[in-house]
């Protein structure tokens, strides 16, 4: 199994939480935030966005930790067979772990984007997406030379976090990023619970 195949297999697993959590949150949040804004209730719109972030963290952190702690076991259990044996699972596992470092970023980006779309701002997220793609292109080659296929996955993850930061500070600059009281404490508890789960696994 070559690097290209390993990336393909690992990305299949990585796309599962992205699709189930990120896309679902985006589909639910956009009409909810839009309805609140059209009703003149910006506080409710901000509250919905904050709740979306919290729920997404609740769901994605355990998945992320699992992909970081037992990536080889996940790949072997799902794809083992034919030419995909122990060595291939190890290589694909490292690629999956590299993808996993960016999984929360890509999910949170799907949650933050409705904050722009609901205000009929499609240009700003597009600019951020282009900037993210540029970061990915700048990083992918040197990281590939350093880490091989794992570097390609890592470049994608770093670019994902760049996108989240741009979206986050863009909403803050527009005065639309208001977290619910106690959000930070709950997020830290979620992270702690996911970490304990990872240690037990």
């Amino acid at each position: 199994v070559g690097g290209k195949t390993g990336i393909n297999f690992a990305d299949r697993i990585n796309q599962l939480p992205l699709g189930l959590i990120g896309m679902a949150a985006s589909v639910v949040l956009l009409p909810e935030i839009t309805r609140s804004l059209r009703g003149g209730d910006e506080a409710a719109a901000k509250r919905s966005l904050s709740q979306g972030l919290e729920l997404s963290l609740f769901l994605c952190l355990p998945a992320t930790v699992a992909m970081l702690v037992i990536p080889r076991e996940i790949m072997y259990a799902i794809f083992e067979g034919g030419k995909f044996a122990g060595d291939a699972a190890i290589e694909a596992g490292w690629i999956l772990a590299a993808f996993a470092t960016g999984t929360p970023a890509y999910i949170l980006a799907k949650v933050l984007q409705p904050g722009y779309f609901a205000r009929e701002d499609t240009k700003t997220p597009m600019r951020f997406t282009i900037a993210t793609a540029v970061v990915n292109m700048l990083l992918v080659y040197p990281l590939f030379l350093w880490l091989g296929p794992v570097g390609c996955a890592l470049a994608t993850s770093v670019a994902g976090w760049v996108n989240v930061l741009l979206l986050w500070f863009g909403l803050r600059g527009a005065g639309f990023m208001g977290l619910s009281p106690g959000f930070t404490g709950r997020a830290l508890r979620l992270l702690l619970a996911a970490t304990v789960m990872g240690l037990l696994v």
Side-chain angles (χ1 to χ4, degrees), residues 129-173:
T129 299
I130 293 172
T132 300
V134 170
V135 170
N136 196 358
M137 288 187 290
L138 290 175
L139 290 177
V140 69
Y141 186 63
L143 285 177
F144 173 75
L145 293 178
W146 180 31
L147 299 170
V150 175
C152 298
L154 192 59
T156 300
S157 295
V158 172
W161 283 109
V162 170
N163 190 31
V164 165
L165 290 175
L166 291 173
L167 290 167
W168 178 280
F169 286 108
L171 287 174
R172 281 194 62 180

Side-chain angles (χ1 to χ4, degrees), residues 19-104:
L20 288 177
I21 304 170
M23 292 304 297
S26 179
V27 167
V28 171
L29 281 174
L30 182 55
E32 182 72 22
I33 296 175
T34 303
R35 187 163 48 249
S36 297
L37 288 177
R38 288 181 178 174
D41 194 349
E42 186 172 316
K46 292 180 181 178
R47 189 164 55 250
S48 295
L49 186 61
S50 179
Q51 290 171 346
L53 289 170
E54 193 170 332
L55 180 59
S56 296
L57 287 174
F58 173 75
L59 295 171
C60 83
L61 285 178
T64 299
V65 169
M67 291 189 292
L68 286 171
V69 212
I70 52 169
R72 291 172 294 178
E73 290 79 1
I74 290 174
M75 298 303 296
Y76 190 80
I78 295 176
F79 294 114
E80 187 270 333
K83 294 183 179 179
F84 196 96
D87 291 342
I90 292 174
E91 182 180 2
W94 283 115
I95 296 171
L96 176 60
F99 272 130
T101 60
T103 298

